[in-house]
Amino acid sequence: MDSPLAVIGLPIALGVIMFGLGLDLTPRDFARIGRRPKAVGVALACQLLLLPAVCFGLVLLFRLPPVLAVGMMLLAASPGGTTANLYSHLFRGDVALNISLTAINSVIAVLTLPVIVNLSIAWFQPGDLQVGLQLKKTIEVFMIVLAPVCLGMIVRGVRPGFARAMDRPVRIASIIILTLVIAGAAVSNLDVLKTSFLSLAGITVVFCGLSLAIGFVVPRLLRIGREQAIASAFEVGLHNATLAIVIAQSVLQVPDMSLPGAVYGVLMFPLAAIFGLLITRRRTAAATA
């Protein structure tokens, strides 16, 4: 784990992705939350409370080894990202709500992610890993998650023209980096992945499907508009797999723990597309009935 890829490359890769996210954000995105408090509150409750509980139940049900169990909980604790914004746009969700949720999630994750991961480590006890609520680890998560976002927002505020010009190149770079990070995590742990893929594929598919469904159904049951529910579904259902991989390999320095994020990162794209098509088809059928 002392390789340049793990120590330097992965944090820089995630930094580029989070910087690109910051280029899309303004203080208005945080202020907008006050105009949609119910939709925001419900989505955050689903993501911060329901999903960790659902993931914990799935980990016990699938009887994952301790390291992979903590890796799944790390994935569940990771916030959404720019992928959610893209899918929300494609399937006619409230993209502005997505942007607001991404903004607030990026801030909250600095606190909630270390707590969930440390509680998971205390429960599953993978080997002799002892992290605790260390200030150093929390600062590392802050620097990985929030600092690049803040830098991107500052650049947008000072040089809006440059931010607009860089938006497309950074998005393309983020997609390439995301693919490389997921592929690199899989290749570097190929032996373990071969023996664990089937169990990880099963739990990640179920977890992703439940996450998308919870993010959509719960808001609708609480009489939140369809566009906001679609935005919530993708924000709650599509986790930042890159963040989970980087924290597992660079912060916790347990490569095997990144495998759930790597498998999920590959499978979430087609699953989200299928989910989007299903809810779109259902809406079309209802409109023509």
Side-chain angles (χ1 to χ4, degrees), residues 172-219:
I172 294 173
S174 296
I175 293 172
I176 295 172
I177 290 170
L178 173 63
T179 303
L180 291 176
V181 167
I182 293 172
V187 170
S188 63
N189 300 277
L190 193 57
D191 290 339
V192 179
L193 185 60
K194 287 179 181 178
T195 59
S196 306
F197 181 80
L198 290 179
S199 60
L200 286 175
I203 191 173
T204 50
V205 167
V206 174
F207 177 64
C208 185
L210 288 176
S211 299
L212 290 164
I214 288 171
F216 180 77
V217 173
V218 172

Short mmCIF file of all heavy atoms in Angstrom, two decimals, residues 172-219:
data_model
loop_
_atom_site.label_atom_id
_atom_site.label_comp_id
_atom_site.label_asym_id
_atom_site.label_seq_id
_atom_site.Cartn_x
_atom_site.Cartn_y
_atom_site.Cartn_z
N ILE A 172 -15.50 15.11 -18.61
CA ILE A 172 -14.92 14.01 -19.39
C ILE A 172 -13.77 13.36 -18.62
O ILE A 172 -13.67 12.13 -18.52
CB ILE A 172 -14.44 14.52 -20.76
CG1 ILE A 172 -15.65 14.97 -21.60
CG2 ILE A 172 -13.67 13.42 -21.50
CD1 ILE A 172 -15.26 15.64 -22.90
N ALA A 173 -12.91 14.22 -18.04
CA ALA A 173 -11.79 13.69 -17.25
C ALA A 173 -12.29 12.89 -16.05
O ALA A 173 -11.71 11.86 -15.70
CB ALA A 173 -10.90 14.85 -16.78
N SER A 174 -13.38 13.34 -15.43
CA SER A 174 -13.93 12.64 -14.27
C SER A 174 -14.41 11.25 -14.64
O SER A 174 -14.20 10.29 -13.90
CB SER A 174 -15.08 13.46 -13.66
OG SER A 174 -14.62 14.70 -13.17
N ILE A 175 -15.08 11.14 -15.81
CA ILE A 175 -15.56 9.83 -16.26
C ILE A 175 -14.39 8.90 -16.52
O ILE A 175 -14.41 7.73 -16.14
CB ILE A 175 -16.42 10.00 -17.53
CG1 ILE A 175 -17.71 10.76 -17.20
CG2 ILE A 175 -16.75 8.63 -18.12
CD1 ILE A 175 -18.53 11.12 -18.41
N ILE A 176 -13.35 9.43 -17.19
CA ILE A 176 -12.16 8.61 -17.47
C ILE A 176 -11.48 8.17 -16.18
O ILE A 176 -11.12 7.00 -16.01
CB ILE A 176 -11.18 9.39 -18.37
CG1 ILE A 176 -11.82 9.65 -19.74
CG2 ILE A 176 -9.87 8.62 -18.52
CD1 ILE A 176 -11.00 10.57 -20.62
N ILE A 177 -11.34 9.12 -15.25
CA ILE A 177 -10.68 8.82 -13.98
C ILE A 177 -11.49 7.80 -13.19
O ILE A 177 -10.94 6.86 -12.60
CB ILE A 177 -10.48 10.12 -13.16
CG1 ILE A 177 -9.42 10.99 -13.83
CG2 ILE A 177 -10.08 9.80 -11.73
CD1 ILE A 177 -9.33 12.38 -13.24
N LEU A 178 -12.83 7.99 -13.17
CA LEU A 178 -13.69 7.05 -12.46
C LEU A 178 -13.50 5.64 -13.00
O LEU A 178 -13.35 4.67 -12.23
CB LEU A 178 -15.15 7.47 -12.62
CG LEU A 178 -16.22 6.51 -12.10
CD1 LEU A 178 -16.09 6.32 -10.60
CD2 LEU A 178 -17.61 7.02 -12.46
N THR A 179 -13.48 5.51 -14.31
CA THR A 179 -13.29 4.19 -14.94
C THR A 179 -11.94 3.60 -14.57
O THR A 179 -11.83 2.41 -14.23
CB THR A 179 -13.40 4.32 -16.47
OG1 THR A 179 -14.66 4.90 -16.80
CG2 THR A 179 -13.28 2.95 -17.14
N LEU A 180 -10.89 4.42 -14.62
CA LEU A 180 -9.54 3.94 -14.31
C LEU A 180 -9.41 3.53 -12.84
O LEU A 180 -8.76 2.52 -12.53
CB LEU A 180 -8.51 5.01 -14.66
CG LEU A 180 -8.32 5.31 -16.15
CD1 LEU A 180 -7.34 6.47 -16.34
CD2 LEU A 180 -7.83 4.08 -16.89
N VAL A 181 -10.02 4.32 -11.95
CA VAL A 181 -9.93 4.00 -10.52
C VAL A 181 -10.62 2.67 -10.23
O VAL A 181 -10.08 1.81 -9.51
CB VAL A 181 -10.56 5.13 -9.68
CG1 VAL A 181 -10.76 4.67 -8.23
CG2 VAL A 181 -9.68 6.37 -9.71
N ILE A 182 -11.82 2.48 -10.79
CA ILE A 182 -12.54 1.23 -10.57
C ILE A 182 -11.79 0.05 -11.17
O ILE A 182 -11.64 -1.00 -10.54
CB ILE A 182 -13.95 1.33 -11.18
CG1 ILE A 182 -14.79 2.35 -10.40
CG2 ILE A 182 -14.64 -0.04 -11.18
CD1 ILE A 182 -16.12 2.66 -11.02
N ALA A 183 -11.28 0.23 -12.40
CA ALA A 183 -10.52 -0.84 -13.04
C ALA A 183 -9.24 -1.13 -12.26
O ALA A 183 -8.87 -2.31 -12.07
CB ALA A 183 -10.18 -0.45 -14.47
N GLY A 184 -8.56 -0.09 -11.80
CA GLY A 184 -7.32 -0.28 -11.05
C GLY A 184 -7.55 -1.01 -9.74
O GLY A 184 -6.77 -1.89 -9.35
N ALA A 185 -8.66 -0.66 -9.06
CA ALA A 185 -8.98 -1.34 -7.80
C ALA A 185 -9.27 -2.82 -8.04
O ALA A 185 -8.87 -3.68 -7.25
CB ALA A 185 -10.18 -0.67 -7.14
N ALA A 186 -9.95 -3.11 -9.16
CA ALA A 186 -10.26 -4.50 -9.47
C ALA A 186 -9.00 -5.29 -9.83
O ALA A 186 -8.79 -6.41 -9.35
CB ALA A 186 -11.27 -4.56 -10.62
N VAL A 187 -8.14 -4.70 -10.66
CA VAL A 187 -6.93 -5.40 -11.11
C VAL A 187 -5.96 -5.62 -9.96
O VAL A 187 -5.37 -6.70 -9.83
CB VAL A 187 -6.26 -4.60 -12.24
CG1 VAL A 187 -4.88 -5.18 -12.55
CG2 VAL A 187 -7.12 -4.61 -13.49
N SER A 188 -5.81 -4.62 -9.10
CA SER A 188 -4.83 -4.74 -8.01
C SER A 188 -5.27 -5.78 -6.96
O SER A 188 -4.46 -6.21 -6.14
CB SER A 188 -4.62 -3.38 -7.33
OG SER A 188 -5.81 -2.92 -6.74
N ASN A 189 -6.55 -6.13 -6.97
CA ASN A 189 -7.06 -7.14 -6.02
C ASN A 189 -7.72 -8.29 -6.78
O ASN A 189 -8.72 -8.84 -6.34
CB ASN A 189 -8.06 -6.49 -5.07
CG ASN A 189 -7.46 -5.37 -4.27
OD1 ASN A 189 -6.82 -5.59 -3.25
ND2 ASN A 189 -7.66 -4.14 -4.73
N LEU A 190 -7.13 -8.66 -7.92
CA LEU A 190 -7.77 -9.60 -8.83
C LEU A 190 -7.99 -10.96 -8.18
O LEU A 190 -9.05 -11.57 -8.36
CB LEU A 190 -6.93 -9.75 -10.10
CG LEU A 190 -7.59 -10.45 -11.29
CD1 LEU A 190 -8.87 -9.73 -11.67
CD2 LEU A 190 -6.64 -10.51 -12.47
N ASP A 191 -7.03 -11.44 -7.43
CA ASP A 191 -7.16 -12.77 -6.82
C ASP A 191 -8.34 -12.82 -5.85
O ASP A 191 -9.14 -13.76 -5.87
CB ASP A 191 -5.87 -13.14 -6.09
CG ASP A 191 -4.72 -13.40 -7.06
OD1 ASP A 191 -5.02 -13.68 -8.24
OD2 ASP A 191 -3.56 -13.30 -6.65
N VAL A 192 -8.45 -11.78 -5.00
CA VAL A 192 -9.55 -11.74 -4.05
C VAL A 192 -10.86 -11.53 -4.79
O VAL A 192 -11.89 -12.11 -4.44
CB VAL A 192 -9.32 -10.62 -3.01
CG1 VAL A 192 -10.47 -10.56 -2.02
CG2 VAL A 192 -8.02 -10.85 -2.28
N LEU A 193 -10.83 -10.70 -5.83
CA LEU A 193 -12.05 -10.40 -6.59
C LEU A 193 -12.61 -11.66 -7.25
O LEU A 193 -13.83 -11.86 -7.31
CB LEU A 193 -11.75 -9.33 -7.64
CG LEU A 193 -12.95 -8.82 -8.44
CD1 LEU A 193 -13.98 -8.19 -7.52
CD2 LEU A 193 -12.50 -7.81 -9.50
N LYS A 194 -11.72 -12.53 -7.75
CA LYS A 194 -12.18 -13.76 -8.41
C LYS A 194 -12.98 -14.64 -7.46
O LYS A 194 -13.97 -15.25 -7.84
CB LYS A 194 -10.97 -14.54 -8.95
CG LYS A 194 -10.32 -13.92 -10.18
CD LYS A 194 -9.12 -14.75 -10.62
CE LYS A 194 -8.45 -14.14 -11.85
NZ LYS A 194 -7.24 -14.91 -12.25
N THR A 195 -12.52 -14.69 -6.21
CA THR A 195 -13.20 -15.56 -5.24
C THR A 195 -14.41 -14.89 -4.61
O THR A 195 -15.29 -15.57 -4.07
CB THR A 195 -12.21 -15.96 -4.12
OG1 THR A 195 -11.73 -14.77 -3.47
CG2 THR A 195 -11.04 -16.72 -4.69
N SER A 196 -14.49 -13.55 -4.69
CA SER A 196 -15.57 -12.83 -4.00
C SER A 196 -16.58 -12.21 -4.94
O SER A 196 -17.57 -11.64 -4.47
CB SER A 196 -14.96 -11.72 -3.11
OG SER A 196 -13.99 -12.23 -2.24
N PHE A 197 -16.35 -12.29 -6.26
CA PHE A 197 -17.19 -11.53 -7.19
C PHE A 197 -18.66 -11.91 -7.10
O PHE A 197 -19.54 -11.04 -7.09
CB PHE A 197 -16.70 -11.71 -8.62
CG PHE A 197 -17.52 -10.92 -9.62
CD1 PHE A 197 -17.30 -9.57 -9.80
CD2 PHE A 197 -18.53 -11.54 -10.35
CE1 PHE A 197 -18.06 -8.83 -10.69
CE2 PHE A 197 -19.29 -10.81 -11.25
CZ PHE A 197 -19.05 -9.46 -11.42
N LEU A 198 -18.94 -13.22 -7.05
CA LEU A 198 -20.34 -13.63 -7.06
C LEU A 198 -21.09 -13.11 -5.84
O LEU A 198 -22.21 -12.59 -5.96
CB LEU A 198 -20.43 -15.16 -7.12
CG LEU A 198 -20.00 -15.80 -8.46
CD1 LEU A 198 -20.14 -17.31 -8.38
CD2 LEU A 198 -20.85 -15.24 -9.61
N SER A 199 -20.47 -13.24 -4.66
CA SER A 199 -21.14 -12.73 -3.46
C SER A 199 -21.25 -11.21 -3.48
O SER A 199 -22.26 -10.64 -3.06
CB SER A 199 -20.39 -13.18 -2.20
OG SER A 199 -19.06 -12.69 -2.21
N LEU A 200 -20.22 -10.54 -4.00
CA LEU A 200 -20.26 -9.08 -4.07
C LEU A 200 -21.23 -8.60 -5.14
O LEU A 200 -21.92 -7.59 -4.94
CB LEU A 200 -18.86 -8.53 -4.35
CG LEU A 200 -17.87 -8.58 -3.19
CD1 LEU A 200 -16.49 -8.12 -3.64
CD2 LEU A 200 -18.36 -7.70 -2.05
N ALA A 201 -21.30 -9.31 -6.25
CA ALA A 201 -22.24 -8.92 -7.31
C ALA A 201 -23.67 -9.02 -6.80
O ALA A 201 -24.50 -8.13 -7.04
CB ALA A 201 -22.05 -9.80 -8.54
N GLY A 202 -23.96 -10.09 -6.07
CA GLY A 202 -25.31 -10.27 -5.55
C GLY A 202 -25.71 -9.15 -4.60
O GLY A 202 -26.76 -8.53 -4.76
N ILE A 203 -24.86 -8.86 -3.62
CA ILE A 203 -25.22 -7.87 -2.62
C ILE A 203 -25.21 -6.45 -3.20
O ILE A 203 -26.05 -5.63 -2.83
CB ILE A 203 -24.30 -7.97 -1.38
CG1 ILE A 203 -24.86 -7.11 -0.24
CG2 ILE A 203 -22.88 -7.56 -1.71
CD1 ILE A 203 -24.10 -7.29 1.07
N THR A 204 -24.30 -6.18 -4.12
CA THR A 204 -24.26 -4.84 -4.70
C THR A 204 -25.46 -4.58 -5.60
O THR A 204 -26.00 -3.48 -5.61
CB THR A 204 -22.95 -4.60 -5.48
OG1 THR A 204 -22.73 -5.67 -6.40
CG2 THR A 204 -21.77 -4.49 -4.55
N VAL A 205 -25.90 -5.60 -6.34
CA VAL A 205 -27.09 -5.45 -7.18
C VAL A 205 -28.32 -5.20 -6.30
O VAL A 205 -29.12 -4.29 -6.56
CB VAL A 205 -27.30 -6.69 -8.08
CG1 VAL A 205 -28.70 -6.66 -8.71
CG2 VAL A 205 -26.24 -6.73 -9.17
N VAL A 206 -28.47 -6.01 -5.25
CA VAL A 206 -29.62 -5.85 -4.36
C VAL A 206 -29.56 -4.49 -3.66
O VAL A 206 -30.58 -3.78 -3.56
CB VAL A 206 -29.66 -6.98 -3.32
CG1 VAL A 206 -30.76 -6.73 -2.29
CG2 VAL A 206 -29.88 -8.32 -4.00
N PHE A 207 -28.37 -4.12 -3.20
CA PHE A 207 -28.23 -2.84 -2.49
C PHE A 207 -28.54 -1.66 -3.41
O PHE A 207 -29.25 -0.73 -3.01
CB PHE A 207 -26.81 -2.72 -1.92
CG PHE A 207 -26.55 -1.40 -1.25
CD1 PHE A 207 -27.24 -1.05 -0.11
CD2 PHE A 207 -25.61 -0.51 -1.76
CE1 PHE A 207 -27.01 0.18 0.52
CE2 PHE A 207 -25.38 0.70 -1.15
CZ PHE A 207 -26.08 1.05 0.00
N CYS A 208 -28.02 -1.70 -4.63
CA CYS A 208 -28.27 -0.61 -5.57
C CYS A 208 -29.75 -0.52 -5.90
O CYS A 208 -30.34 0.56 -5.92
CB CYS A 208 -27.44 -0.80 -6.83
SG CYS A 208 -27.56 0.57 -8.01
N GLY A 209 -30.38 -1.67 -6.17
CA GLY A 209 -31.80 -1.69 -6.49
C GLY A 209 -32.65 -1.16 -5.35
O GLY A 209 -33.57 -0.35 -5.56
N LEU A 210 -32.36 -1.59 -4.13
CA LEU A 210 -33.10 -1.11 -2.97
C LEU A 210 -32.87 0.37 -2.73
O LEU A 210 -33.81 1.10 -2.36
CB LEU A 210 -32.71 -1.91 -1.72
CG LEU A 210 -33.21 -3.35 -1.64
CD1 LEU A 210 -32.65 -4.04 -0.40
CD2 LEU A 210 -34.74 -3.39 -1.63
N SER A 211 -31.63 0.83 -2.93
CA SER A 211 -31.32 2.24 -2.73
C SER A 211 -32.13 3.12 -3.69
O SER A 211 -32.72 4.14 -3.29
CB SER A 211 -29.82 2.50 -2.95
OG SER A 211 -29.04 1.78 -2.03
N LEU A 212 -32.17 2.74 -4.96
CA LEU A 212 -32.94 3.49 -5.95
C LEU A 212 -34.43 3.47 -5.61
O LEU A 212 -35.11 4.51 -5.68
CB LEU A 212 -32.72 2.90 -7.35
CG LEU A 212 -31.33 3.12 -7.96
CD1 LEU A 212 -31.11 2.16 -9.13
CD2 LEU A 212 -31.17 4.56 -8.42
N ALA A 213 -34.94 2.29 -5.23
CA ALA A 213 -36.36 2.16 -4.91
C ALA A 213 -36.73 2.98 -3.68
O ALA A 213 -37.74 3.68 -3.66
CB ALA A 213 -36.71 0.69 -4.70
N ILE A 214 -35.90 2.91 -2.64
CA ILE A 214 -36.17 3.68 -1.42
C ILE A 214 -36.16 5.17 -1.72
O ILE A 214 -37.02 5.93 -1.26
CB ILE A 214 -35.13 3.34 -0.33
CG1 ILE A 214 -35.39 1.94 0.22
CG2 ILE A 214 -35.16 4.35 0.81
CD1 ILE A 214 -34.29 1.42 1.12
N GLY A 215 -35.17 5.60 -2.50
CA GLY A 215 -35.05 7.02 -2.82
C GLY A 215 -36.23 7.54 -3.61
O GLY A 215 -36.52 8.75 -3.57
N PHE A 216 -36.94 6.66 -4.32
CA PHE A 216 -38.10 7.09 -5.12
C PHE A 216 -39.41 6.88 -4.36
O PHE A 216 -40.27 7.77 -4.31
CB PHE A 216 -38.14 6.31 -6.43
CG PHE A 216 -39.30 6.69 -7.32
CD1 PHE A 216 -39.27 7.86 -8.06
CD2 PHE A 216 -40.42 5.87 -7.41
CE1 PHE A 216 -40.33 8.22 -8.88
CE2 PHE A 216 -41.48 6.21 -8.23
CZ PHE A 216 -41.44 7.39 -8.96
N VAL A 217 -39.60 5.71 -3.77
CA VAL A 217 -40.88 5.34 -3.17
C VAL A 217 -41.17 6.15 -1.91
O VAL A 217 -42.30 6.63 -1.71
CB VAL A 217 -40.92 3.83 -2.87
CG1 VAL A 217 -42.18 3.47 -2.08
CG2 VAL A 217 -40.87 3.03 -4.17
N VAL A 218 -40.19 6.29 -1.03
CA VAL A 218 -40.42 7.01 0.23
C VAL A 218 -40.88 8.45 -0.02
O VAL A 218 -41.89 8.89 0.57
CB VAL A 218 -39.17 6.96 1.13
CG1 VAL A 218 -39.36 7.86 2.35
CG2 VAL A 218 -38.89 5.53 1.57
N PRO A 219 -40.22 9.23 -0.87
CA PRO A 219 -40.73 10.58 -1.15
C PRO A 219 -42.14 10.58 -1.74
O PRO A 219 -42.97 11.42 -1.38
CB PRO A 219 -39.72 11.15 -2.15
CG PRO A 219 -38.47 10.41 -1.87
CD PRO A 219 -38.91 9.03 -1.52
#
